Amino acid sequence: MRNFIDKKVNICPSCLGKNFQKVTSNYLNVYSELISTDLGITEKKLIDDMTSLKCTDCELKFWANPLNIDIRLKLYTEILPIHPKGDDSSGMYFNYDGLCNKIKGESKKSSKRLRIIDGYLSSIKFNSNKEYQQIKSQLIESEDYKFIKDKLDELFKRGPLDFSRHAGFRNTSINEDIINVILRNKSNNLDYIEYGSLDWGPINSKEFIKFKCLHIIPNNDIFWNSQKRILEGTLKHKYTYEKDMFKDYIELKGASLGLILIIDHLKNPYLFLKEFVNKNVKDIFVLVEKEEDSKGLPVQHLTSWNHKSLKRLGEKLGLNVSFPEINTQKYIYTKFTNKKLISI
């Protein structure tokens, strides 16, 4: 077994506090499975050695000994080189053929097959719990879905649920907030910057074509660097790499920044966002998964957030903080706004 953990974290990555308590984590998923297998250890040892902590000042959860840069780099380039949610968020697999092709070749009880099915179940608009339970049973227990093809076609025609795996985050209520801010700020340079996945954020909406937008592609040890859309030429806006961001763009006055399911991949979220605030970004839009207290912190994330930790982060940045309601219980949506501007 080789060394896989980074040096001990002794300061809260969000509020910079120094008071912590140890918390339990038993969050097993595809990442813990694949990483522990690659390291030749059990998932329990992986989680135990990383040690989950909670900041007693802002309630942020983080790893005392996170995965080191070599393992995180290997995760996104070798262990799991294709972003699991990236293609799904495009909606191109939300159909009968897409479902069948995704589970093709998987054994009936394989964990991958069950995860794929769960991704569909959490994205379909069911009319009742009875309908959900019936389809769930048929998808899990059957290996050939021809006998329910008509029913599945009916379900897929309803379209995926907002904010679900197969809907992504291109067309949601968040769009209106960002567009209102763009129109208010009237930037001469960039209107909107999106850091993270090239596939699933508001920047991909048709509404944003008329604005000056920029994709920032994260470093390889932070997130998947999807070259597919770059090679295909399907990006609708300019892009740059994280390492070149402030070389290519020195002044960001009036621009807004979106982080959609990516802030929990950052080692130092406060310092990351502070650099953008110092460059005069006026508004920051953040979407995170709600933490699951019963499970703890997943190994692929460096942090886990709740309303208090997000509020303290915004206050530390000197920004106003609000939590607009969105049509999902799975995520927290946060708006950080410059205090000199009227909140909208």
Side-chain angles (χ1 to χ4, degrees), residues 111-281:
S111 57
K112 182 178 179 179
R113 180 178 184 272
L114 294 175
R115 285 194 296 268
I116 290 170
I117 291 173
D118 183 67
Y120 279 96
L121 291 172
S122 63
S123 299
I124 292 172
K125 296 175 181 175
F126 291 104
N127 290 330
S128 65
N129 184 58
K130 180 180 179 180
E131 184 181 53
Y132 167 80
Q133 293 296 340
Q134 182 179 30
I135 293 298
K136 177 182 178 180
S137 175
Q138 290 169 333
L139 290 180
I140 292 174
E141 299 303 325
S142 305
E143 296 185 75
D144 188 332
Y145 298 150
K146 290 178 182 177
F147 76 105
I148 54 170
K149 183 180 185 303
D150 289 345
K151 179 61 179 179
L152 290 173
D153 285 339
E154 176 196 330
L155 294 174
F156 288 130
K157 283 181 181 178
R158 297 175 188 173
L161 285 166
D162 287 351
F163 294 97
S164 67
R165 183 185 186 99
H166 287 270
F169 311 98
R170 296 178 305 283
N171 300 299
T172 70
S173 56
I174 295 175
N175 291 25
E176 184 177 354
D177 279 345
I178 297 173
I179 289 172
N180 284 340
V181 164
I182 288 173
L183 295 175
R184 180 196 68 194
N185 289 346
K186 298 180 177 64
S187 172
N188 292 324
N189 189 7
L190 289 170
D191 292 314
Y192 176 64
I193 303 164
E194 196 163 282
Y195 173 78
S197 171
L198 296 177
D199 296 307
W200 62 25
I203 195 172
N204 291 290
S205 169
K206 293 178 181 178
E207 299 172 281
F208 284 71
I209 292 294
K210 59 186 176 182
F211 299 117
K212 302 182 293 291
C213 301
L214 176 73
H215 291 274
I216 304 179
I217 302 175
N219 294 334
N220 281 310
D221 61 292
I222 294 175
F223 205 72
W224 292 267
N225 283 348
S226 173
Q227 297 295 310
K228 181 180 177 182
R229 294 189 64 195
I230 295 174
L231 295 173
E232 292 176 344
T234 57
L235 289 181
K236 299 172 183 176
H237 302 282
K238 295 179 180 179
Y239 71 90
T240 189
Y241 292 91
E242 180 178 344
K243 61 184 178 62
D244 299 322
M245 175 63 205
F246 297 117
K247 297 177 186 175
D248 296 342
Y249 298 88
I250 298 173
E251 177 55 58
L252 302 176
K253 186 176 182 180
S256 299
L257 174 67
L259 291 91
I260 310 299
L261 304 193
I262 184 69
I263 195 173
D264 43 21
H265 285 247
L266 296 173
K267 189 173 182 180
N268 297 297
Y270 166 73
L271 296 178
F272 177 88
L273 293 179
K274 184 64 175 175
E275 197 162 8
F276 282 92
V277 172
N278 289 342
K279 295 289 184 180
N280 294 312
V281 162

Side-chain angles (χ1 to χ4, degrees), residues 23-66:
V23 291
T24 300
S25 181
N26 58 357
Y27 202 138
L28 305 182
N29 58 20
V30 63
Y31 301 94
S32 60
E33 177 185 338
L34 293 176
I35 293 171
S36 61
T37 298
D38 181 74
L39 292 169
I41 59 176
T42 64
E43 290 176 270
K44 184 179 185 304
K45 178 170 177 55
L46 174 68
I47 291 172
D48 287 349
D49 284 5
M50 291 173 69
T51 310
S52 181
L53 298 177
K54 179 179 178 179
C55 175
T56 55
D57 296 324
C58 75
E59 297 184 2
L60 183 78
K61 291 178 182 175
F62 58 95
W63 294 110
N65 300 290

